[in-house]
Amino acid sequence: MPQEQAYYAMYVARSDGKLSTMKKDGREDNCPSKEQRDKKPNEAGVQDYYEELDSNAEKAKDWRRKLGGMLVQELLERKMMPEEQRSLLLDEDGNRKLCVLENFPENYRLYEHIKKKAEKSDKSHAAGDADRRDAYLYGHPYGRKSRFRSPADFFHHLWWLVTDESGDEGNCCCKVCAPNPADSGSTPTTKSSSAAAVAGAITPTPTPGLVHRAAVPVDSGVSATKSNNNTPSVPNTPPALPPFTYRIGEMLWVKEPETAYSICIATNHQYKRLADSSVVPIYTIRCLSHPYFHPAEKESQNGLGLKPFRCFQVPPPEIVTYTGHTYKTVDWNSLSLAYKQNPRFIEQEAMKFAAIGVDRTYTLEGEINASSNIEGNNNPNIKGWKSLYLGAEKILPGDPIRLESLATEYRTALQQSGHMGHPQILVLQKIFEEIDQQGNSKISLVGDLYIQVPATDEFQSKGFTPQDERLPADILRTLVSRNHRALQLGGRIVRWLPFKPRYVANINDVSGRWYDYDHLANIFLATEELKQSFLRGGSPPEPNEMFFITGHCCEKATGNERTLQRTWLRREAFGESVPQQTLQESSGGQGTSREDMQTGAKQE
């Protein structure tokens, strides 16, 4: 069997894609209409329909390869990257590597327009038995009519997503954002007055909106292939655009003037340029409540006042009458009338009930027709998924996630190595669902397992963080930051030790997301407390280890048993604690509807 060709995978970290858009007569799906997706032949026996392509379909891979190739070519030719990043895209002979987009930008979907006769045609055609097959990329925020017809067509917009620091669509020269042909040429650019305006947003910092990863074969089932010098080193400067710490559809704590904290949902996020020309992330949030009162949405600049949901446990509800109830079974109408003089109390109680319920749900998004299972054997009952809402958080491939427990054999190995109890992360690669003959569903998360251990004395004496080429660049960056702080205060530096590649974790073993060290240190650790921790034990406490496990946000309400319930849309997890239109107007939060599922699977 010929060896599979490896491509250097590139992730686009920014997207303006929308799953639906608002029109005069209501909300419209940002994809071909239901009628256009109907495969039934017409009276003449001709089938004329649109079909969504999986990201691993041949035509989708062709698009992603072409876009990756064009992207790296422009970045190299324009010299818009620091030298340490440029070297990652060149082989030992100085030639440009083969590159591929790991996925289209979030919420962009490729559809194929298929037109064929009911009977097979006698024509010899590359498309098989179809008379015609054309692919179109949907997702532009202008709606379904603003689709892209080819990789070259979309590349102008992709270039804007990757390079424009401001996020201002007025700077995009694609055929949709700037329909005047004079505004877009054969080479991507912006509508700024000078090329220096673009270069100034890029150099000397890494390219904004773009995340690099190790080379992976585009046809691989689960894990990345081993390759030398394909993983980027830690950048010396932060990205031009601050990342979004929180994701649309996630549940968070928010500091409010009248109370210590409230619980909210992130309904949207975007970048905003301030008067001093700096760019900050803006989060739109809405607090949870009961069905008869919903607080208005509000904004948080740069995440001010927001904290990950799992950093604090939810106080148990105080209404004794409804002990053991869920949000759905509480009579909120009666309670809102009974506490008319103290409406805030009922809002807080509803918030608790709603959060406890959301914390025990999961939602899979973006079905992928997986061609092989986690062991590489063909299995038609395996589905791949693009993302997973687990309790309060949204998990994506490439994320480091925390595991609550490991399989027995690996726990034994940890004990024997003396690393039992050390922080662990799974760098997620794939999300799989396996459905048995009885319709029971088993969710697996596959990735490389790492253990945090003290660095050797040699690295400690040099004050240098060990570099592991297999780790994503953002994990290395936060590790360098953590170790830099440790050295300043006389503490011990650490490293991530590869423990098990292609580790398969059950959904019930996952605790949740692993957050940036600096972000959490500012939440949990006061300066003096942090300093004393370094001086006492040589290593600081790991803030992620202080988080509770998904499904256990309120022990008095939920008990020790952890049972996750599946919701088919993220919106369903919140029930009536938020308005019905919540998440429907944002670019995220959509899942796979019950009607679209071929089987009503049950979680084991």
Side-chain angles (χ1 to χ4, degrees), residues 184-214:
S184 62
S186 58
T187 303
T189 180
T190 70
K191 292 186 285 186
S192 302
S193 57
S194 67
V198 181
I202 309 303
T203 307
T205 60
T207 305
L210 187 65
V211 180
H212 308 278
R213 292 291 187 267

Side-chain angles (χ1 to χ4, degrees), residues 59 112 125-133:
K59 186 163 289 189
E112 189 170 43
H125 196 282
D129 62 347
D131 294 329
R132 184 165 182 174
R133 289 176 180 264

Side-chain angles (χ1 to χ4, degrees), residues 87-98:
S87 63
L88 298 169
L89 303 178
L90 301 173
D91 60 22
E92 295 178 355
D93 298 325
N95 298 318
R96 179 162 50 90
K97 290 180 182 177
L98 294 173

Side-chain angles (χ1 to χ4, degrees), residues 494-525:
V494 297
R495 68 186 179 103
W496 286 110
L497 176 69
F499 186 71
K500 168 61 178 167
R502 294 183 62 190
Y503 181 84
V504 182
N506 185 276
I507 189 174
N508 289 305
D509 297 331
V510 178
S511 176
R513 285 177 60 186
W514 184 276
Y515 290 87
D516 178 280
Y517 180 84
D518 285 337
H519 180 71
L520 294 189
N522 292 331
I523 293 176
F524 284 111
L525 308 172

